[in-house]
Amino acid sequence: MSKLANVWVFSDNAERYAELMTGARQWGEQVHIIVQGSEQANQVLPLGADSIIVLEQSSGLQRIENYAETFTSLLQDHNGLLLMPATKRAKSLGARLSIQLNAAMVNDATSVSLDAGALFVEHRMYGGLAFGKEKLNSALAIITLASGVLESSEANPAHTCPVTAAPYIPPRHEIMCQERRAKPLSSVDLSKAKRVVGVGRGLVAQADLEMVHKLAAVLGAEVGCSRPIAEGENWMERERYIGVSGVLLKSDLYLTLGISGQIQHMVGGNGAKVIVAINKDKKAPIFNYADYGLVGDIYKVVPALIEQLSR
């Protein structure tokens, strides 16, 4: 058996469906997309699924964890794979389904393969220091896929497939959402960027990000950062954090400025084709990963680069 009989794809983030479908087509004979609402069904129709299942919703503001009973009813008599993105909500739903369906589950998968009919999944361990490879022996498996692992599949506007509805089955204890507040959206997706300039603790003040953005503009690059800049100093959005629990780069160029190069960060940066490091500490671990390195103060080097590249 070169493929699984069935792969179901569900995402709480509509933008992840195209990437998940790339894997689903590779690993499944029949691919079924599960969505919330008819509007999403129209959005994912061009992605080429064999069928689309629309989850009926109860009244009020719904949380996806409440769909556990609905998913259990859909999948309990089937073999195959439920594929979801590695988001907090998808992991929470997956944990519930893993128990209710007696299904093996792996989070933050970086690679999925089929060998002699067996399903194998690789994922990072020990904060990115190692990779673990698991064989999933259950009839139904659940995987959450890390962002940026696969390229997004191409859409076919002419594609059609059956669309069915799945009745909502309320859980014994519903999680009630009293209010939903919009979260400021980031316009950046570093996993798709061709060039990225990353900044770390070498940056002294938030105002100094201006020179980093100027350099990125000259290079036609997006700006990313190490974890302390996003989650410690809160100088940049969480979506720009590169690392083991952040974005995994697949860019042609990754230029790091004042980033030490700890393994937790480089797990996210190692996917770049070319890594260029600028750091005033010649012993910084980043130079062990860099294709090109420059020992120097970013406050002197960056303005000089901007001047030279602007000519």
Side-chain angles (χ1 to χ4, degrees), residues 21-302:
M21 279 297 293
T22 299
R25 287 171 174 169
Q26 292 178 15
W27 309 317
E29 293 285 355
Q30 295 287 310
V31 177
H32 317 279
I33 294 182
I34 303 173
V35 298
Q36 300 177 73
S38 56
E39 184 178 341
Q40 274 197 359
N42 293 329
Q43 293 174 355
V44 302
L45 184 59
L47 296 180
D50 295 291
S51 71
I52 295 175
I53 302 168
V54 180
L55 299 175
E56 292 185 351
Q57 301 183 25
S58 66
S59 59
L61 300 174
Q62 191 60 274
R63 291 185 57 87
I64 69 168
E65 293 90 339
N66 289 337
Y67 286 114
E69 298 295 337
T70 306
F71 272 84
T72 298
S73 176
L74 279 172
L75 304 177
Q76 61 186 351
D77 296 324
H78 296 282
N79 298 345
L81 169 66
L82 173 61
L83 184 64
M84 299 188 290
T87 62
K88 291 180 180 179
R89 291 177 180 174
K91 290 178 182 179
S92 177
L93 174 63
R96 286 167 168 78
L97 295 177
S98 178
I99 297 299
Q100 293 179 198
L101 293 167
N102 194 28
M105 180 176 180
V106 174
N107 282 318
D108 300 292
T110 56
S111 175
V112 179
S113 60
L114 289 163
D115 185 11
L119 180 65
F120 294 89
V121 182
E122 285 191 7
H123 62 106
R124 292 184 178 86
M125 301 173 65
Y126 311 121
L129 290 172
F131 284 88
K133 188 172 184 179
E134 315 291 346
K135 180 182 179 183
L136 306 188
N137 294 315
S138 58
L140 177 70
I142 302 172
I143 294 173
T144 63
L145 194 69
S147 177
V149 171
L150 299 171
E151 296 287 345
S152 296
S153 60
E154 294 184 3
N156 176 13
H159 177 75
T160 61
C161 68
V163 179
T164 59
Y168 176 68
I169 303 175
R172 182 176 301 175
H173 301 289
E174 269 190 312
I175 300 174
M176 303 305 295
C177 180
Q178 300 296 332
E179 182 183 0
R180 185 168 291 164
R181 299 179 182 179
K183 179 182 177 182
L185 297 177
S186 175
S187 59
V188 66
D189 185 351
L190 293 184
S191 67
K192 298 178 181 178
K194 294 299 182 183
R195 298 175 183 176
V196 177
V197 176
V199 63
R201 288 184 181 272
L203 200 71
V204 175
Q206 185 176 8
D208 298 331
L209 281 169
E210 182 179 354
M211 73 173 183
V212 178
H213 283 284
K214 285 182 178 178
L215 177 58
V218 173
L219 291 171
E222 292 285 358
V223 177
C225 63
S226 60
R227 184 171 186 172
I229 299 299
E231 296 189 344
E233 302 294 346
N234 294 317
W235 288 351
M236 301 184 74
E237 308 100 313
R238 177 64 174 74
E239 290 80 2
R240 294 184 184 271
Y241 154 46
I242 300 164
V244 63
S245 57
V247 178
L248 309 181
L249 297 182
K250 296 187 292 184
S251 56
D252 295 331
L253 170 68
Y254 182 34
L255 171 59
T256 71
L257 307 175
I259 290 178
S260 63
Q262 298 299 321
I263 182 63
Q264 290 85 355
H265 177 79
M266 294 315 300
V267 164
N270 261 339
K273 294 178 182 177
V274 176
I275 299 175
V276 180
I278 301 173
N279 197 300
K280 64 181 179 181
D281 180 6
K282 65 180 181 181
K283 296 182 179 180
I286 188 70
F287 291 118
N288 296 325
Y289 300 94
D291 298 287
Y292 303 94
L294 174 62
V295 178
D297 186 343
I298 62 172
Y299 285 91
K300 295 179 180 179
V301 176
V302 171

